C-alpha cells in the first residue's frame, strides 16, 4: 500500500496545529513545516545565503538576527520574496527527505495509517504533488483572538500576518473550527472515514 501525503493548511489561529496534534494521537505520522523552517534557520548554509542577500549585520555568531531581518525585509516586497525563497527551498528539501524516510519505514499492516500529514502555513511556499489538502478555517475574529492569546503579539502585527497569508482555495476537505474541540475532532474522524473509502 502506497503512502499518501496530505497538506493541512489554513490561516493563523485557525487550528492547524490542533488538527495535526489530534491526528498524531490517532497514530498518524505528521510533519510541521514551521519546525522544518526552524531547522533550516540553524544551518550554516542558510546564514551564508542571508549574509549574501542582506549583508553581515543580519547574522551574529552564525545565528540569524530575526528582529533586524524582519525590519529590513518586510519593508521591501522583492527582498522579502528573495528571503522567503531561501527558507522555502530549504524546507522543501527537508520535507522531501523526511517523507522519504517515513515512506520507506511504512509497514502495510499499520491498520490503514498509510497517510502522512504535513502542516503548512504558507501553502504556496513551494509546489508539491499533494494527495489531498485539508483546509482548517475559523472566523477572522476567532483566529485573531486565538493567535493573540497564544503568541502575545499585537493586533496590528497579527493583521499584517493575515494580509500576507494566501489561503488555499483548492482544497479537498474543509474543517470548520469555530466551535469546541470535540466538533473539530468529529469532522476529522469523518474526513478520515471518507478518505479511506476512496
Amino acid at each position: 500500500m502506497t503512502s499518501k501525503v496530505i497538506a493541512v493548511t489554513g490561516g493563523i489561529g485557525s487550528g492547524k496545529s490542533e488538527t495535526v496534534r489530534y491526528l498524531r494521537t490517532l497514530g498518524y505520522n505528521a510533519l510541521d513545516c514551521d519546525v522544518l523552517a526552524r531547522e533550516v534557520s540553524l544551518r550554516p548554509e542558510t546564514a551564508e545565503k542571508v549574509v549574501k542577500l542582506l549583508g553581515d549585520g543580519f547574522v551574529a555568531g552564525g545565528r540569524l538576527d530575526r528582529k533586524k531581518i524582519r525590519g529590513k525585509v518586510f519593508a521591501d516586497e522583492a527582498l522579502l520574496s528573495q528571503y522567503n525563497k531561501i527558507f522555502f527551498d530549504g524546507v522543501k528539501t527537508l520535507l522531501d527527505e523526511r517523507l522519504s524516510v517515513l515512506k520507506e519505514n511504512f509497514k502495510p499492516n499499520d491498520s490503514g495509517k498509510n497517510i502522512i500529514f504535513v502542516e503548512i502555513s504558507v501553502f504556496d511556499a513551494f509546489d508539491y504533488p499533494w494527495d489531498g489538502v485539508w483546509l482548517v478555517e475559523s472566523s477572522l475574529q476567532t483566529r485573531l483572538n486565538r493567535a493573540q492569546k497564544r503568541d502575545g503579539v499585537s493586533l496590528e502585527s497579527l493583521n499584517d500576518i493575515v494580509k500576507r497569508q494566501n489561503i488555499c482555495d483548492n482544497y479537498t476537505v474543509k474543517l470548520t473550527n469555530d466551535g469546541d474541540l470535540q466538533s473539530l475532532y468529529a469532522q476529522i474522524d469523518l474526513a478520515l472515514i471518507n478518505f479511506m473509502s476512496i
Side-chain angles (χ1 to χ4, degrees), residues 97-109:
E97 290 171 7
R98 302 289 162 80
L99 287 172
S100 178
V101 170
L102 288 172
K103 287 178 179 181
E104 283 173 19
N105 293 323
F106 172 68
K107 300 175 184 64
N109 63 350

Side-chain angles (χ1 to χ4, degrees), residues 58-76:
F58 296 89
V59 176
R63 309 280 295 213
L64 306 184
D65 186 335
R66 292 180 172 280
K67 187 174 180 182
K68 200 169 181 182
I69 290 169
R70 279 195 299 269
K72 175 82 171 174
V73 301
F74 281 177
D76 184 326

Side-chain angles (χ1 to χ4, degrees), residues 9-16 121 135-138 143 162 165 167:
T9 191
I12 187 169
S14 60
K16 298 181 298 298
S121 300
L135 174 68
V136 187
E137 68 163 16
S138 296
R143 288 168 49 206
V162 167
Q165 278 191 309
I167 306 302

Side-chain angles (χ1 to χ4, degrees), residues 24-145:
R24 283 192 178 110
T25 68
L26 298 177
Y28 291 94
N29 286 306
L31 298 169
D32 182 343
C33 286
D34 285 346
V35 171
L36 298 182
R38 284 194 284 277
E39 286 188 46
V40 170
S41 75
L42 298 173
R43 293 187 162 188
E45 58 266 34
T46 301
E48 289 168 16
K49 289 174 183 175
V50 170
V51 167
K52 188 174 178 183
L53 178 66
L54 303 176
D56 290 322
F58 296 89
V59 176
R63 309 280 295 213
L64 306 184
D65 186 335
R66 292 180 172 280
K67 187 174 180 182
K68 200 169 181 182
I69 290 169
R70 279 195 299 269
K72 175 82 171 174
V73 301
F74 281 177
D76 184 326
E77 285 295 329
L79 203 55
L80 177 61
S81 178
Q82 290 175 279
Y83 176 75
N84 282 341
K85 189 172 184 335
I86 293 171
F87 282 88
F88 295 162
D89 289 350
V91 169
K92 173 68 164 53
T93 299
L94 264 184
L95 180 63
D96 285 338
E97 290 171 7
R98 302 289 162 80
L99 287 172
S100 178
V101 170
L102 288 172
K103 287 178 179 181
E104 283 173 19
N105 293 323
F106 172 68
K107 300 175 184 64
N109 63 350
D110 280 355
S111 63
K113 304 274 192 311
N114 65 316
I115 308 170
I116 304 167
F117 291 92
V118 177
E119 182 179 347
I120 179 166
S121 300
V122 185
F123 186 72
D124 57 353
F126 48 78
D127 288 329
Y128 189 85
W130 307 107
D131 295 296
V133 179
W134 288 17
L135 174 68
V136 187
E137 68 163 16
S138 296
S139 70
L140 178 58
Q141 193 56 56
T142 299
R143 288 168 49 206
L144 291 174
N145 289 344

Side-chain angles (χ1 to χ4, degrees), residues 174-190:
K174 181 165 72 172
L175 305 169
T176 302
N177 185 29
D178 281 321
D180 60 20
L181 289 178
Q182 294 311 311
S183 171
L184 176 63
Y185 298 162
Q187 292 174 72
I188 295 169
D189 292 340
L190 182 59

